[in-house]
Amino acid sequence: MDGDGFEALLASTAARVEVRLAAILGGEGPLAGAPERVRAAMAHGALGGGKRLRPFLVIEAAALFGASAEDALDAAVALECVHCYSLVHDDLPAMDDDAMRRGKPTVHKAYDEATAILAGDALLTLAFGLIADSASLSLAARSTLVLMLARDAGAGGMVGGQALDLAAESRDLTEAEIATMQAMKTGALIAFACEAGPVVADADAADRQRLRRFGELVGLAFQLADDLLDETADATTLGKAAGKDRERGKKTLPALKGHDWTRQRLGDLVAAAEDELSVYGERGETLLAAARFVAHRLR
Amino acid sequence: MDGDGFEALLASTAARVEVRLAAILGGEGPLAGAPERVRAAMAHGALGGGKRLRPFLVIEAAALFGASAEDALDAAVALECVHCYSLVHDDLPAMDDDAMRRGKPTVHKAYDEATAILAGDALLTLAFGLIADSASLSLAARSTLVLMLARDAGAGGMVGGQALDLAAESRDLTEAEIATMQAMKTGALIAFACEAGPVVADADAADRQRLRRFGELVGLAFQLADDLLDETADATTLGKAAGKDRERGKKTLPALKGHDWTRQRLGDLVAAAEDELSVYGERGETLLAAARFVAHRLR
């Protein structure tokens, strides 16, 4: 699959995810009784932006084991809700204090801080309900996915990574500490996405472990590419402020080790991801295209 | 069961919940990889305080259908994590801006705002993981409890109620709006607690519905009694600031309708709760003692 073909597929899945998210956040189903303002703030934080990479990975990793996109959609949308809640909370004044996200005002700017905190809380809560209520998943899969998501999104995963990242503003992290922080902050949800695929399809433990390792490699590549873009791209391309890490004195691996080292490392990660999926032959091609896209993207 | 006997039983269950919470928040199990500061902030927000009424209701409602306290403990502790996360977030400067809770500094005072936001997020996330990982629950019960908790804690439940409560600071609510807000803000989690009992025990739908209605009545009584205490008790007794509702211009039912009306209404709610459980005869006595305690407590 070439780069253009991959981006078309990614955009098509993103549109599908958007339709489902819009239906839920428009007030159908679980949000029927939600007050208008908090529901609208949730929609503001979750709709109309992003490449929807994480749901794409869930859907494609499930497809590798024979599950349809429809079967994987609830888990995919749930994961995107968790990702979006984390952005809403990370943007708060007490955290990263960002005014713009995806080219529009952040939730606490468009609404207010209290509403942004509550909208984030509600998106996180909604995510678990979507998995538990998914008629396309076996009861075992629902239980496993809730447990995995709690692990990867919680204090030992994404939330813990954000805490380490905030701590890095007052103290320089070592290279190893940066790697740990990033594996938790962004790596955990991307690894969840890939591991969720075989779980949705009730595949076996070996497949789960293989997709988990693949997801961890993609997660590492994602963060490295993100940090490189923060140094090299401009705000218009990113849809958010660029160069913020350097300005805040946050050390990143591209800043510590240089751009050439980073590009070499990205190539190595893609090669390792290819090894991990080699057992699936051509069936793994879409996921590998995703790994290459993540490593070499320009925005 | 007399009042003293009930309070001894409540304290004994609270001690059991505390031991389990302390083990989890001390870093055993799901929090093994969590950064120290965020884990400690979670412990600060969840340990060493509160009557643990919600877990008590889960355990006693499960006991009514033959489940042991051990079988119900994961669901009970999970619910307490959700309750504690809501207090941590509600206390934030952008929300109720409280400096003291249960006689000690609130989490954002003891740590900082960013850590309090993250600790709350992590407690909420942890709760769902505890249910999904509970070996004492059937897969169907895990799935049902996660879905119920997402509904009752989310934008259509507790979070939505907090949003309505914040809105009430700038606009007087009608009596009906106050009732809706309170049913969501505090009623939903108390109703969850009671409904969770039969789910833990894999009891039938009629039992679930009966315990849900009982829980809704207890939830109404809880909030009325709380509002009455806010007007009549002092800060030392409450362990938090008293008279805050009036000071903030928030209308409560005791303020609108008077103390006599409120005491009459509390008696009516207890009578309705007794009717709801009459089918269980003497087996319902502990839950009814809980309803009376909630309605007539002095702190």
Side-chain angles (χ1 to χ4, degrees), chain A residues 74-156:
Chain A
D74 290 317
V77 166
L79 175 58
E80 190 66 9
C81 287
V82 172
H83 174 57
C84 292
Y85 119 76
S86 78
L87 300 180
V88 172
H89 280 191
D90 284 2
D91 286 338
L92 285 166
M95 305 263 259
D96 293 347
D97 194 17
D98 276 309
M100 297 291 286
R101 160 81 61 188
R102 295 170 176 166
K104 47 180 199 179
T106 48
V107 177
H108 67 275
K109 288 289 182 186
Y111 293 84
D112 56 76
E113 263 187 74
T115 302
I117 294 167
L118 292 172
D121 292 346
L123 281 168
L124 173 59
T125 306
L126 173 64
F128 290 103
L130 291 175
I131 293 172
D133 202 28
S134 180
S136 62
L137 300 176
S138 68
L139 288 175
R142 295 184 212 185
S143 197
T144 301
L145 288 168
V146 168
L147 179 57
M148 281 167 50
L149 187 57
R151 175 195 65 194
D152 288 325

Side-chain angles (χ1 to χ4, degrees), chain B residues 181-228:
Chain B
M181 179 271 282
Q182 293 183 340
M184 293 168 77
K185 184 177 174 176
T186 45
L189 279 204
I190 290 173
F192 171 91
C194 298
E195 189 181 359
V199 175
V200 163
D202 293 313
D204 68 23
D207 290 320
R208 248 184 91 176
Q209 285 160 22
R210 211 172 279 125
L211 269 287
R212 178 81 195 180
R213 288 192 299 267
F214 169 78
E216 286 169 354
L217 294 164
V218 174
L220 287 171
F222 182 90
Q223 189 58 50
L224 264 188
D226 213 52
D227 289 339
L228 189 61

Side-chain angles (χ1 to χ4, degrees), chain B residues 29 32 49 70 73 99 131 149 163 210 239 244 278 285 291 297:
Chain B
E70 190 57 32
L73 195 58
I131 293 172
L149 188 56
R210 211 172 279 125
K244 287 203 74 157
S278 59
E285 187 45 43
R297 71 207 155 95

Side-chain angles (χ1 to χ4, degrees), chain A residues 30-31 33-35 38 42 85 89-90 92 94-95 113-115 117-119 121-122 124-126 128-130 132-133 139-140 142-143 146-147 149-151 153-156 159-164 166 184, chain B residues 30-31 33-35 38 42 85 89-90 92 94-95 113-115 117-119 121-122 124-126 128-130 132-133 139-140 142-143 146-147 149-151 153-156 159-164 166 184:
Chain A
L31 296 187
V38 74
M42 293 168 76
Y85 119 76
H89 280 191
D90 284 2
L92 285 166
M95 305 263 259
E113 263 187 74
T115 302
I117 294 167
L118 292 172
D121 292 346
L124 173 59
T125 306
L126 173 64
F128 290 103
L130 291 175
D133 202 28
L139 288 175
R142 295 184 212 185
S143 197
V146 168
L147 179 57
L149 187 57
R151 175 195 65 194
V159 164
Q162 173 69 2
L164 294 177
L166 289 169
M184 293 169 76
Chain B
L31 296 187
V38 73
M42 292 168 76
Y85 120 76
H89 280 190
D90 285 2
L92 286 166
M95 304 263 258
E113 263 186 76
T115 302
I117 295 167
L118 293 172
D121 292 345
L124 173 59
T125 307
L126 173 65
F128 290 103
L130 292 175
D133 201 27
L139 289 175
R142 296 184 213 185
S143 197
V146 168
L147 180 57
L149 188 56
R151 175 195 67 194
V159 164
Q162 174 67 2
L164 294 177
L166 289 170
M184 293 168 77

Side-chain angles (χ1 to χ4, degrees), chain B residues 255-267:
Chain B
L256 275 176
K257 313 278 282 185
H259 298 182
D260 288 345
W261 177 91
T262 303
R263 290 193 182 95
Q264 175 65 45
R265 171 87 174 128
L266 284 167

Side-chain angles (χ1 to χ4, degrees), chain B residues 230-243:
Chain B
D230 187 74
E231 298 220 335
T232 58
D234 60 36
T236 312
T237 313
L238 289 181
K240 61 183 178 183

